[in-house]
Amino acid sequence: MAVVGKNEVYDAADAIREEGGLVSQSSVMARLKDRTGRAGSPRDVGPYLLEWKADRTYAPAMERGGVPAAVSTRLGKATADLWSAARVEADRAFQKDRERYETALSDERALRAETLAMADGLMDRVEILTATTADLRARVSDLEAELTAARGHLRAVRADHFWDRVVHDIHSVLPEAGPMRVSEIADRLGADLAEEARSHAEEWSIRTLRKKIEQRIFHKRLFARCGPGLYRRRRPEDDLAEDAGRTAVT
């Protein structure tokens, strides 16, 4: 099926609105078919029609005669929650995750276009809505599950960035030469970090700080051990000593 462009969708929607007709995905696709012989597909037309409705401030009252109230409420909540999730993602996304954010946003727009297609279908086929109620409820449940997963992923990303910041603050606290114990390091870290840690799953404790330091040592980054319970900044010679030790063992 041939792809239709943004200008074609806008022109068709404007014409239907001027004639006093209901602007929906199905009516726009029919008008495109009449004008160009190419109706396009819901995936082509849906996103452009969403933009058109926002640009033209087009919000006709939905005639939901015969639609169960519970279905209408859940469908509206699913759409609102999806849009809210996209806004939160956009507001709090980090530059290092820009590509992942763009992918997530693209998927959300596709889901939103599908939801709009479902709403248009309800308006066009209200006489058979009762038969499709179960399918709509299943779809809403799927969307709610996807939203929950997206929120969990966002919490994990935020936690990773928080603890990365804590680790770099630990490195700043350590003196240029000489070791420190974890308890001493914890005393010198800002109280604001301990307070911020309350919003993340891992607790703020000596044990957690030691674990973060040991993880970097395992990956040969930032820190090195200096006696029992003592840590210092990592130096280039630490890598050479570890490599030499492994060579001697083999």
Side-chain angles (χ1 to χ4, degrees):
M1 183 177 293
V3 177
V4 298
K6 178 178 179 178
N7 290 338
E8 293 173 306
V9 173
Y10 269 53
D11 289 344
D14 286 336
I16 295 171
R17 188 180 192 184
E18 289 176 3
E19 295 168 2
L22 175 64
V23 180
S24 67
Q25 186 167 270
S26 58
S27 64
V28 169
M29 290 175 65
R31 181 58 59 94
L32 289 170
K33 179 68 174 178
D34 291 341
R35 284 187 170 186
T36 67
R38 295 177 291 110
S41 69
R43 191 168 293 275
D44 297 333
V45 175
Y48 292 141
L49 186 56
L50 281 175
E51 294 181 20
W52 180 90
K53 289 184 177 182
D55 291 343
R56 302 294 194 265
T57 318
Y58 183 76
M62 293 184 63
E63 300 178 0
R64 291 196 174 112
V67 179
V71 175
S72 175
T73 300
R74 288 176 66 82
L75 181 59
K77 181 180 181 299
T79 303
D81 286 348
L82 281 171
W83 181 241
S84 177
R87 289 184 57 197
V88 171
E89 184 94 0
D91 290 341
R92 307 186 70 89
F94 298 94
Q95 290 185 357
K96 291 183 179 179
D97 296 315
R98 181 62 58 188
E99 183 177 354
R100 181 163 43 188
Y101 160 74
E102 292 293 346
T103 300
L105 183 59
S106 176
D107 292 342
E108 188 278 332
R109 283 175 175 167
L111 288 173
R112 197 157 178 255
E114 292 177 11
T115 303
L116 176 63
M118 290 168 56
D120 283 337
L122 287 175
M123 296 173 66
D124 294 338
R125 302 184 300 274
V126 67
E127 68 279 2
I128 61 170
L129 181 62
T130 301
T132 61
T133 297
D135 291 338
L136 289 174
R137 286 177 174 170
R139 183 60 181 156
V140 168
S141 179
D142 290 343
L143 294 175
E144 289 175 343
E146 291 174 14
L147 179 59
T148 298
R151 285 173 173 167
H153 168 72
L154 182 58
R155 284 194 298 269
V157 170
R158 290 179 57 208
D160 287 344
H161 281 270
F162 169 74
W163 286 112
D164 280 345
R165 196 168 83 247
V166 171
V167 166
H168 282 86
D169 283 358
I170 292 174
H171 189 268
S172 299
V173 164
L174 288 170
E176 290 290 339
M180 291 181 66
R181 297 187 180 278
V182 179
S183 57
E184 296 173 321
I185 295 172
D187 290 341
R188 297 192 183 187
L189 292 176
D192 56 326
L193 290 177
E195 182 63 27
E196 187 176 348
R198 296 176 180 273
S199 63
H200 302 289
E202 286 187 281
E203 65 174 353
W204 181 269
S205 66
I206 299 298
R207 180 178 180 181
T208 300
L209 295 178
R210 182 180 291 110
K211 182 180 76 171
K212 301 301 179 183
I213 295 173
E214 290 288 346
Q215 287 174 345
R216 271 62 185 184
I217 293 176
F218 179 80
H219 292 289
K220 296 183 180 182
R221 294 178 54 213
L222 296 176
F223 309 114
R225 300 184 192 88
C226 184
L230 294 173
Y231 299 96
R232 59 172 172 78
R233 293 186 177 186
R234 192 172 191 85
R235 304 165 187 159
E237 56 265 30
D238 293 325
D239 293 337
L240 297 176
E242 292 177 6
D243 293 341
R246 281 195 294 272
T247 301
V249 170
T250 56

